[in-house]
Amino acid sequence: VVRVTQTSDQFRSMAALAAARGTILFNGGYTHQEELIEKAMSRDPTLTVEALDGRDLIDQLESASADAARRFDRVRDAAAAALRPFGAAPRLAEFEPSDVPAVYAEGADSNLARSLRAAREMSHGLWKELLDAAGSGVDPADEQTLLCLNAANPVVQNVLHAADPTLTTHTVTLLYVQALMLGQQPLTVDETRAFTDALAAVLS
């Protein structure tokens, strides 16, 4: 089974996680991806090609330990508060590579919704009106994304042991933006501002 990403950004976000799980990931963000897939399928009739839904890949990860899960329940509200403005939800799993603290996972239609939202923030006049019209047909449910925290990562372990909900909120914000940047996702104005505010709060 080969899973095809919609964009190169999505490929970069999920590549390390897919490789660690032995999942074959194909970067569908290039011009001739359809021709390449068709040629591969003609050479190997047993090949199955599926569109990647990052949320499905997250669902297949191993659950964290019972102790980590209990600690996550205590910080879940603070983590959710950090991610709510961005239309994301927190999840906890344990996966390799352990040096990746968090993975940003989109659904099949999330990338379009996110790209439209980012473009609207930077646009003015007629172009903004056109983008608003295009975005009006996107189901808000399609924008739901996940930030999967890695219980095997030392930074996440510190988050799970944190006693201060405010510190947890700021740290999860930083992990969210870091996950976006690792996938070379374009940051929205709100995400950039939130990153700056959270970093200032943690350093103060």
Side-chain angles (χ1 to χ4, degrees):
V1 177
V2 176
R3 289 181 170 82
V4 182
T5 66
Q6 291 181 310
T7 66
S8 295
D9 289 340
Q10 189 183 38
F11 178 84
R12 284 186 287 264
S13 293
M14 305 304 295
L17 180 59
R21 291 186 54 76
T23 299
I24 302 174
L25 202 61
F26 183 87
N27 188 344
Y30 291 100
T31 304
H32 301 291
Q33 58 100 354
E34 291 184 2
E35 291 88 341
L36 289 171
I37 291 173
E38 288 175 0
K39 182 171 289 188
M41 293 180 71
S42 68
R43 292 186 176 184
D44 184 358
T46 67
L47 191 67
T48 301
V49 178
E50 299 177 355
L52 174 73
D53 187 318
R55 292 174 298 193
D56 288 344
L57 191 57
I58 293 298
D59 288 340
Q60 298 168 15
L61 294 176
E62 293 183 12
S63 300
S65 68
D67 179 62
R70 283 193 298 270
R71 293 184 181 277
F72 181 63
D73 285 339
R74 290 197 288 269
V75 303
R76 187 189 301 271
D77 288 346
L83 300 176
R84 192 173 298 116
F86 313 118
R91 185 75 61 86
L92 182 70
E94 187 166 337
F95 55 88
E96 295 295 333
S98 61
D99 58 352
V100 175
V103 172
Y104 170 79
E106 298 176 320
D109 298 319
S110 302
N111 188 268
L112 171 61
R114 176 183 172 76
S115 297
L116 283 171
R117 188 169 65 249
R120 287 200 302 268
E121 289 183 351
M122 303 299 292
S123 303
H124 305 280
L126 178 60
W127 182 238
K128 185 177 187 303
E129 293 178 9
L130 291 172
L131 290 172
D132 286 340
S136 65
V138 177
D139 187 341
D142 292 337
E143 297 192 51
Q144 181 70 68
T145 57
L146 292 175
L147 182 71
C148 186
L149 302 173
N150 186 1
N153 180 267
V155 174
V156 174
Q157 291 169 9
N158 288 337
V159 171
L160 297 178
H161 286 80
D164 183 356
T166 302
L167 179 60
T168 297
T169 298
H170 292 320
T171 306
V172 171
T173 298
L174 294 174
L175 292 176
Y176 170 76
V177 177
Q178 181 196 41
L180 292 178
M181 292 191 294
L182 287 174
Q184 299 185 28
Q185 294 277 356
L187 299 183
T188 66
V189 173
D190 288 342
E191 288 163 349
T192 302
R193 184 182 299 114
F195 177 81
T196 301
D197 292 345
L199 186 61
V202 169
L203 296 177
S204 64

